[in-house]
Amino acid sequence: MTTEGDEPAVAPDAAASGEKSEKLLKREAEKAAKKAAKDAAKASKAAAAEQRSRGQNAVVSVQCSTTPPVELEACSGTRDWYPEEFRLQRWLYEKFRATARATGFEEYDAPVLERQELYKRKAGEEITQQMYAFVDQDGVEVTLRPEMTPTLARMVLGRAQSMMLPLKWFSIPQCWRFETTQRGRKREHYQWNMDIIGCKSVSAETELLFAVCEFFKSIGITSADVGIKVNSRKVMASVLDSYGITAEKFAPVCIVMDKLDKIGADAVKAELVDTQGLPAETAAKIVECLACKTVSDLEALCGEGADQTGIDELKRLFELAEDYGYGDWLIFDASVVRGLAYYTGIVFEGFDRAGELRAICGGGRYDRLLSLYGAVTEVPACGFGFGDCVIVELLKDKGLLPELPKSIEFVVAAFNEGMQGKAMKAASMIRAGGSDVDMLLEPKKKVASTFDYANRIGARYIVFVAPQEWENDMVRIKDLRADYTDKDEEKQLDVKLSDLGRVSEVLAAHAAAIGAANKMGGMAV
């Protein structure tokens, strides 16, 4: 009989049995843990083997901290160019270059760092407020260039005595402006520039506009997608002069006029009155001029107030554009005056007819710019700038972005580690013949993994360097993209080491022979 709080009596045999059971459980638990660890290791090994069989062992993942010690995002308004994006950039810039070369222009470049004084031409220009400006350790006021035209002027004047005019130059400079980032507008961008120095006639503008239209056509854009608005600063200067606007007021007034598409007619009139101090009547007349849609309309509205030379230049430009075959791209628009102060004649802007994007490109004549930097006499000049950001957005909207997968002609793979040096020798011999070669840095244990790697990098041919073929002074090459046969054995060829310098020629002859034989066989059947 027990009472509350007493421990129950336990027989000695039962106690011994309980102690033995506890030890047994502990041993079983340890055994189970060992088995689980062994099973996990086995599963891990099997998974690794499966990955290797699929060629996935070449993929290395980098695990990044959720709180990295540095900011990993690019600075606001700038871009990182990962390989797939860089392929698009190279494609676009080669289109720029091809158009420029086809029209007889030479490429040039200059440092991205310039003196601030180069851009401080006129007080009040927006661009001077957007510069990435600082004082360097020599005490010089410098800036990352916001545009290229002043640099061009500096370079031309730097060799003024040896330059034979006209010059036809182009560049694709990196430019910087501290402004609001939005679609199609970055703080850092590249800009295709084409300029003609030393030609007085509108033939220069006609040639530049031809290049713009040819570039658009080369990337699949038509005149139904894009138009080019044309006007004359010379004409607008004469009109504004007839309204009592002085030469000093002309540039800041043009900056306001250039905002018509962005802020509307009423806002432009209000700004002309409030910020430029113009009478309301004058502001209204200016906006009325900006609404003109043909050269004849502007001529009729302004009468003797319009510079007749400028009117004649506009008419001649439209005539030459028709002769050149791109008249359907051009539209007269009196509201286009361009914001920069140095324009003196015809100005133009490319625009998206759908109205989704900002100006695609722009330019014009700037005959007095070189005089600001030291030219003793006026040097005729005109050109345009074409940003890379907006055109990419346009291509996206039109579904015209090209597919640019990673690709290479050859990948060379060693049979094993012992053949790695031989494989590198083969790769060197193929490269010496002018072909692009990706050297597989670590031999795969399975052939399937090598094929997977070759497919992932977009290789056309895979070159196997194995002991048996090497002893016979040969390597085996397989065509991974063959369209001349369905038979696997016909897609590969053993090629002599002495022929690796002309391997593309050897493989092309093999493909032609197999294709011809299969065609004859098909005809016989």
Side-chain angles (χ1 to χ4, degrees):
M1 176 176 182
T2 61
T3 59
E4 188 174 335
D6 291 340
E7 291 291 335
V10 180
D13 288 345
S17 176
E19 182 180 350
K20 183 178 179 181
S21 177
E22 186 177 341
K23 289 179 180 180
L24 181 62
L25 289 172
K26 185 177 180 180
R27 283 198 302 271
E28 287 178 349
E30 290 173 349
K31 187 176 180 180
K34 287 180 181 180
K35 185 177 185 302
K38 188 175 181 180
D39 289 344
K42 186 177 180 180
S44 177
K45 188 175 181 180
E50 184 179 358
Q51 284 185 333
R52 284 194 296 273
S53 71
R54 295 177 180 176
Q56 294 175 351
N57 58 322
V59 179
V60 179
S61 296
V62 178
Q63 301 299 317
C64 183
S65 168
T66 56
T67 56
V70 296
E71 175 57 62
L72 299 181
E73 291 290 329
C75 293
S76 178
T78 66
R79 294 164 289 177
D80 290 321
W81 298 95
Y82 287 90
E84 60 274 16
E85 286 135 3
F86 202 70
R87 288 197 290 272
L88 176 61
Q89 187 207 64
R90 293 295 93 192
W91 172 84
L92 180 64
Y93 294 3
E94 280 309 307
K95 293 292 186 180
F96 288 152
R97 288 189 172 95
T99 301
R101 288 193 293 263
T103 47
F105 284 70
E106 292 185 286
E107 188 167 10
Y108 73 100
D109 202 358
V112 72
L113 195 67
E114 286 282 11
R115 291 177 177 84
Q116 292 182 33
E117 62 182 349
L118 200 63
Y119 302 95
K120 294 179 178 178
R121 301 173 302 273
K122 300 280 186 179
E125 276 202 15
E126 189 178 31
I127 194 172
T128 61
Q129 310 304 315
Q130 297 174 342
M131 295 193 301
Y132 277 83
F134 58 97
V135 177
D136 70 13
Q137 294 184 27
D138 287 330
V140 179
E141 293 184 338
V142 295
T143 181
L144 299 179
R145 65 178 169 222
E147 58 159 328
M148 194 65 167
T149 308
T151 295
L152 171 64
R154 175 181 64 74
M155 291 176 65
V156 171
L157 292 172
R159 292 188 178 179
Q161 300 303 314
S162 61
M163 293 291 185
M164 297 295 292
L165 302 181
L167 302 176
K168 296 171 72 177
W169 287 6
F170 82 96
S171 63
I172 310 175
Q174 185 185 42
C175 299
W176 295 80
R177 293 192 189 187
F178 191 85
E179 56 185 344
T180 303
T181 300
Q182 54 186 279
R183 187 184 183 211
R185 184 188 291 269
K186 304 288 184 184
R187 291 175 178 174
E188 166 266 348
H189 69 282
Y190 288 82
Q191 182 169 292
W192 176 38
N193 282 48
M194 287 182 64
D195 294 87
I196 298 176
I197 310 293
C199 178
K200 293 181 179 179
S201 78
V202 293
S203 293
E205 287 93 331
T206 308
E207 190 74 356
L208 291 170
L209 288 167
F210 172 82
V212 171
C213 296
E214 284 300 293
F215 165 75
F216 279 129
K217 287 189 278 188
S218 76
I219 61 172
I221 298 296
T222 71
S223 58
D225 303 313
V226 166
I228 303 174
K229 299 175 181 178
V230 180
N231 191 22
S232 171
R233 282 280 281 262
K234 182 188 293 186
V235 172
M236 298 312 297
S238 64
V239 171
L240 295 182
D241 181 66
S242 70
Y243 293 158
I245 295 170
T246 63
E248 291 74 21
K249 275 282 189 182
F250 176 67
V253 167
C254 279
I255 292 173
V256 179
M257 292 163 60
D258 197 42
K259 298 178 181 179
L260 183 67
D261 283 346
K262 304 179 186 72
I263 64 177
D266 290 340
V268 167
K269 283 190 281 188
E271 192 166 334
L272 288 171
V273 173
D274 296 340
T275 67
Q276 303 304 318
L278 301 186
E281 182 181 355
T282 301
K285 288 181 179 179
I286 290 173
V287 171
E288 187 179 1
C289 284
L290 298 182
C292 291
K293 295 303 179 184
T294 68
V295 179
S296 298
D297 288 347
L298 181 63
E299 185 178 21
L301 177 66
C302 302
E304 295 182 359
D307 183 286
Q308 192 57 46
T309 303
I311 293 289
D312 292 342
E313 287 172 349
L314 281 170
K315 290 179 177 179
R316 180 61 175 157
L317 175 66
F318 279 95
E319 290 173 1
L320 291 174
E322 288 293 336
D323 291 337
Y324 228 146
Y326 64 86
D328 56 321
W329 292 78
L330 302 190
I331 300 167
F332 175 75
D333 190 331
S335 69
V336 174
V337 290
R338 306 291 293 161
L340 294 172
Y342 55 65
Y343 288 119
T344 58
I346 287 174
V347 288
F348 52 87
E349 278 186 3
F351 71 99
D352 166 29
R353 291 187 188 271
E356 299 293 328
L357 301 168
R358 60 183 289 268
I360 301 170
C361 61
R365 181 163 287 273
Y366 52 94
D367 287 348
R368 290 193 287 272
L369 181 62
L370 273 70
S371 299
L372 293 176
Y373 300 137
V376 176
T377 58
E378 191 173 280
V379 181
C382 60
F384 68 77
F386 199 123
D388 68 327
C389 301
V390 182
I391 191 62
V392 169
E393 293 300 322
L394 181 64
L395 289 171
K396 288 178 182 176
D397 287 351
K398 302 299 179 183
L400 294 173
L401 279 179
E403 291 185 11
L404 302 168
K406 183 178 180 180
S407 64
I408 196 162
E409 194 172 3
F410 293 92
V411 61
V412 175
F415 176 77
N416 55 30
E417 186 60 38
M419 297 299 295
Q420 190 72 357
K422 307 289 192 301
M424 289 178 170
K425 182 176 181 179
S428 178
M429 295 169 75
I430 297 172
R431 286 171 181 152
S435 296
D436 297 330
V437 178
D438 186 321
M439 180 69 222
L440 188 62
L441 300 178
E442 295 179 329
K444 308 292 185 184
K445 291 184 178 180
K446 293 190 176 182
V447 174
S449 301
T450 304
F451 276 107
D452 183 76
Y453 176 82
N455 282 320
R456 282 192 289 106
I457 66 169
R460 169 69 190 268
Y461 300 102
I462 187 165
V463 182
F464 286 107
V465 181
Q468 184 176 345
E469 287 81 17
W470 191 265
E471 287 174 5
N472 295 318
D473 292 327
M474 305 184 97
V475 294
R476 181 159 294 174
I477 302 179
K478 184 163 187 176
D479 188 342
L480 302 177
R481 314 278 179 242
D483 57 2
Y484 48 85
T485 180
D486 294 327
K487 300 174 183 177
D488 211 46
E489 65 274 12
E490 293 180 345
K491 296 178 182 179
Q492 63 187 33
L493 180 69
D494 288 348
V495 178
K496 295 178 181 179
L497 297 183
S498 58
D499 285 336
L500 290 183
R502 61 181 196 95
V503 66
S504 294
E505 178 185 337
V506 171
L507 293 169
H510 170 73
I514 294 295
N518 288 339
K519 185 176 181 180
M520 291 296 294
M523 291 173 63
V525 172

